[in-house]
Amino acid sequence: HYSSDRYEIITMRNSFHGRTLATVTATAQEKYHHGFEPLVPGFKYIPFNDLKAVERAIDSHTAAIMLEPIQALGGVNVPTKDYLPGLRRLCDDAGVLLILDEVFTGIGRTGRMFCYEHYGIEPDIMTLAKAMAGGLPIGAMLATEEVAAAFVPGSHAATFGGNPFVTAVACEVMKTIAEENLLENSLRMGEYFMSALKELQGKYPFIKEVRGKGLLIGVELEFLGKEIDLRCQKKGLLINSLGDRVLRLLPPLNVTKGEIDQATGVLNEVFAEISKPF
């Protein structure tokens, strides 16, 4: 639209965007790059939640900025409330596209259908997958009319883009979210779970922070979390540890207070067993 040498995409440190060669390159974590070199050119990495870094990074080659509204795999990193609106303004001023990867954060996970709705902005492009069809393999890219006009039939294809079976399931998922008020449940149960976890934080000094939105929750520890992950599993609670020190909790959107109480009880038992960092 502007010039042929505007090809660079800016992505954020600690991001995760996928396992294809291009999205592995877009993922600004070197541990995912090892063994896949040479990587695809055209990506530039900057710190997350830093508008000054964005201003410095945008230049005459910048085509787009791509990020997760909340870094789910990078440690449940939640931006400040002015970060995404600030990004939107910078993109508009520079004629740069804003791409939001909502594979983790979309379809009700944060208490809104899409996470960007919490911040009062809209992206130019948004990517979705997994949660659209309740875990079955599907992928989608949404775009504004102006941006979508750049794609014509035959420009792109994807094995899991929208075959009839998973698309039918995705329609039922959307219907279920609406009929069962799962967005509201995600907000309410997320607040309830966060409150319970913050009570545990007051009880156990090795819990540094509890953060998240809706039912995307991270618990940051002062030590490696893998052992807690394994102990919870033995007691029937599935969680996973990210970034070495962050426990990620992703309850289903229809989770109940009773189930959250049960999960909190397991975490309390495991935390009580920890007498020193390991």
Side-chain angles (χ1 to χ4, degrees):
H1 184 71
Y2 288 102
S3 62
S4 60
D5 64 347
R6 291 188 70 162
Y7 62 90
E8 286 188 344
I9 298 176
I10 296 170
T11 63
M12 308 301 160
R13 294 281 177 191
N14 291 318
S15 60
F16 184 84
H17 293 293
R19 299 287 188 172
T20 67
L21 190 55
T23 53
V24 162
T25 310
T27 295
Q29 297 192 59
E30 283 73 14
K31 65 183 179 181
Y32 293 109
H33 299 169
H34 181 67
F36 293 98
E37 302 88 349
L39 300 175
V40 178
F43 290 94
K44 183 187 293 185
Y45 309 139
I46 62 173
F48 181 68
N49 203 27
D50 185 340
L51 289 175
K52 292 292 185 184
V54 178
E55 290 183 45
R56 291 190 297 269
I58 293 175
D59 60 27
S60 61
H61 298 299
T62 307
I65 295 172
M66 183 167 70
L67 72 156
E68 305 148 280
I70 297 173
Q71 291 187 327
L73 201 66
V76 191
N77 301 316
V78 182
T80 56
K81 64 180 181 179
D82 62 341
Y83 180 62
L84 286 176
L87 272 181
R88 180 70 274 178
R89 287 192 298 272
L90 288 172
C91 288
D92 290 341
D93 291 346
V96 167
L97 297 180
L98 179 60
I99 305 172
L100 294 184
D101 180 341
E102 293 241 24
V103 170
F104 268 99
T105 56
I107 318 298
R109 173 54 53 189
T110 67
R112 300 284 182 93
M113 183 58 77
F114 309 115
C115 186
Y116 73 76
E117 296 178 86
H118 291 285
Y119 299 95
I121 64 147
E122 289 187 0
D124 299 298
I125 297 172
M126 176 172 64
T127 60
L128 298 170
K130 301 176 179 124
M132 287 182 66
L136 290 177
I138 192 171
M141 183 187 76
L142 289 75
T144 63
E145 286 190 25
E146 182 182 6
V147 174
F151 259 20
V152 297
S155 294
H156 181 63
T159 301
F160 299 121
N163 69 69
F165 171 60
V166 295
T167 304
V169 173
C171 290
E172 290 301 313
V173 168
M174 298 299 178
K175 190 187 301 183
T176 300
I177 287 173
E179 291 176 351
E180 298 186 10
N181 297 316
L182 294 185
L183 296 181
E184 180 185 348
N185 193 67
S186 178
L187 271 179
R188 288 189 298 104
M189 293 301 98
E191 290 173 359
Y192 182 74
F193 204 179
M194 291 267 284
S195 177
L197 292 168
K198 286 179 179 178
E199 286 187 22
L200 293 182
Q201 183 182 12
K203 186 175 179 180
Y204 300 103
F206 53 75
I207 301 176
K208 292 180 64 176
E209 187 180 13
V210 176
R211 56 180 180 260
K213 273 189 186 300
L215 292 172
L216 172 56
I217 301 171
V219 179
E220 185 174 351
L221 309 173
E222 289 187 346
F223 48 81
L224 301 181
K226 190 60 180 176
E227 181 65 23
I228 288 178
D229 184 344
L230 295 173
R231 292 190 188 196
C232 285
Q233 183 176 335
K234 289 177 180 178
K235 295 177 183 288
L237 176 64
L238 296 179
I239 63 175
N240 65 331
S241 53
L242 301 168
D244 298 327
R245 297 172 184 266
V246 179
L247 305 176
R248 187 177 65 178
L249 309 174
L250 296 169
L253 302 190
N254 61 353
V255 69
T256 65
K257 279 189 176 181
E259 289 165 336
I260 288 173
D261 290 342
Q262 187 178 359
T264 305
V266 171
L267 285 165
N268 184 44
E269 288 178 20
V270 172
F271 289 153
E273 295 169 0
I274 307 300
S275 59
K276 62 181 181 180
F278 42 78

